[in-house]
Amino acid sequence: MKTTISKIFVSCILLCSFYSLKAQTNDSLSVESAKKRIRSSKEILAEVVLKDGNILRGNVIEEYVDSITFNSSLTGAISILRINILNIKYFNPESKGNEQVYVNLASRYFFSPSAMNMKKGDGYYQNTFFTLSTFNYAINDYITIGGGFELFSLLFGHPIVILTPKFSIPIAEKLHIGGGILYANILGLQSSSSGLNVAYGNVTYGDTKSNISVNVGTSLSYPGRPTFTVCGFQQVAPKFGLMSENWIIPSGDNSTVNLYTFGGRVIGRKNLFDFGLITNETLLKSPLPAIPFLSFTLRF
């Protein structure tokens, strides 16, 4: 009898010891779990809304069960406890760089192309003056196909069509070269006109936030007389940048027509809004010194 009681007593002690050890192990695992990284160190664009009302935009560098390490231009790299976070919105999880949440579409300016290309599978629809619709799509990281039409000419049965294929090659971190074709014509007319045919080459220096491009092309209408465009973009805020596009176009009697465009770009996550004024020496002397430019771009 005493032996049986002794065995039961020893068993109870061992059982209590086991549960005590298990509890300690679980506590230890809970602490380790809180420290466990649940996302890789690959930077992910995000908007963090804190419970005190502050909003931070930048990159999530590391993410844990109870906290995240966040980097923004305002705070630098900081660790934020999850209990202080109201909401997190993630953007572009496939991003490969330290980009901003609002990413500029650097492959073109108001109308002229840059020598920077979109990534494979990226594309956009652009509407200019509510009548000209164009589409561009990157079939790979180097080649973009594009084209479009003008609405009112389409309705009247003689559509103005545009084709804008181009290629781009990065040759250094901030230096790109490329080229392409600009073709525009009016379909359905009994005319021998070949329309506008310009083959061009270009070079761009800079990145998506600050860049300058020079395009040089030649037209079948004026062989041997080049068309020049000089364009620039400077991002001055996460959602806004200043932009300029300037043309030197050959005309009759060995003269040229110069066009200067100055304005801005409102940058969204999925869309752009470009606005500006187009002018030249002739317009400046007229009652209408400048023509407004407006376009809306939807990225897909």
Side-chain angles (χ1 to χ4, degrees):
M1 182 68 175
K2 291 181 178 181
T3 303
T4 301
I5 294 174
S6 299
K7 290 180 178 180
I8 294 174
F9 179 74
V10 171
S11 298
C12 289
I13 293 176
L14 292 175
L15 186 60
C16 291
S17 299
F18 171 77
Y19 277 109
S20 176
L21 179 61
K22 184 178 180 181
Q24 292 177 7
T25 302
N26 287 341
D27 289 343
S28 177
L29 289 174
S30 296
V31 173
E32 290 301 320
S33 178
K35 295 179 179 180
K36 183 180 178 181
R37 181 182 297 169
I38 62 175
R39 285 189 188 270
S40 68
S41 60
K42 181 179 177 181
E43 296 179 346
I44 298 174
L45 303 177
E47 179 182 83
V48 177
V49 181
L50 301 179
K51 290 182 178 179
D52 62 6
N54 288 320
I55 299 176
L56 300 175
R57 296 183 178 94
N59 296 290
V60 176
I61 299 174
E62 294 178 334
E63 192 165 0
Y64 301 92
V65 172
D66 66 340
S67 67
I68 65 171
T69 301
F70 190 79
N71 183 37
S72 76
S73 58
L74 295 177
T75 64
I78 60 172
S79 179
I80 306 173
L81 294 176
R82 287 190 177 272
I83 59 174
N84 297 323
I85 297 175
L86 180 64
N87 188 32
I88 303 178
K89 296 179 182 179
Y90 298 99
F91 305 101
N92 192 19
E94 300 300 323
S95 173
K96 297 181 179 180
N98 186 25
E99 303 171 271
Q100 296 295 319
V101 173
Y102 302 97
V103 182
N104 177 39
L105 181 64
S107 63
R108 68 161 179 81
Y109 299 92
F110 291 107
F111 183 79
S112 291
S114 75
M116 290 188 282
N117 202 35
M118 297 180 291
K119 296 296 182 182
K120 178 181 178 180
D122 290 344
Y124 65 85
Y125 162 74
Q126 181 185 9
N127 184 285
T128 304
F129 290 124
F130 306 103
T131 64
L132 179 62
S133 293
T134 53
F135 302 84
N136 284 271
Y137 178 77
I139 61 176
N140 56 41
D141 289 348
Y142 308 101
I143 299 175
T144 296
I145 56 175
F149 60 90
E150 197 277 329
L151 177 62
F152 292 110
S153 61
L154 178 66
L155 295 176
F156 286 107
H158 299 291
I160 299 174
V161 296
I162 299 173
L163 297 176
T164 56
K166 78 166 194 172
F167 72 91
S168 306
I169 302 173
I171 59 175
E173 182 180 359
K174 290 189 176 184
L175 187 61
H176 306 255
I177 61 172
I181 296 172
L182 169 60
Y183 170 80
N185 206 347
I186 303 175
L187 302 183
L189 294 180
Q190 299 298 321
S191 171
S192 60
S193 173
S194 60
L196 176 64
N197 295 272
V198 177
Y200 67 87
N202 57 2
V203 58
T204 297
Y205 178 79
D207 53 27
T208 59
K209 297 180 182 179
S210 179
N211 53 73
I212 185 170
S213 297
V214 176
N215 299 281
V216 181
T218 183
S219 170
L220 293 179
S221 302
Y222 300 98
R225 298 178 58 190
T227 297
F228 294 93
T229 68
V230 179
C231 313
F233 175 83
Q234 178 63 55
Q235 189 166 335
V236 295
K239 298 174 65 175
F240 182 74
L242 300 173
M243 192 159 58
S244 177
E245 179 174 314
N246 309 284
W247 290 70
I248 302 176
I249 307 169
S251 183
D253 301 325
N254 292 320
S255 62
T256 60
V257 175
N258 303 332
L259 294 174
Y260 314 108
T261 308
F262 303 93
R265 169 171 289 175
V266 179
I267 307 166
R269 298 187 182 99
K270 284 292 184 180
N271 51 63
L272 303 173
F273 177 72
D274 295 342
F275 62 92
L277 294 173
I278 305 171
T279 189
N280 64 7
E281 295 85 351
T282 302
L283 286 172
L284 288 173
K285 298 175 183 178
S286 70
L288 183 65
I291 301 172
F293 178 94
L294 294 172
S295 75
F296 172 79
T297 301
L298 177 64
R299 292 180 287 190
F300 54 83

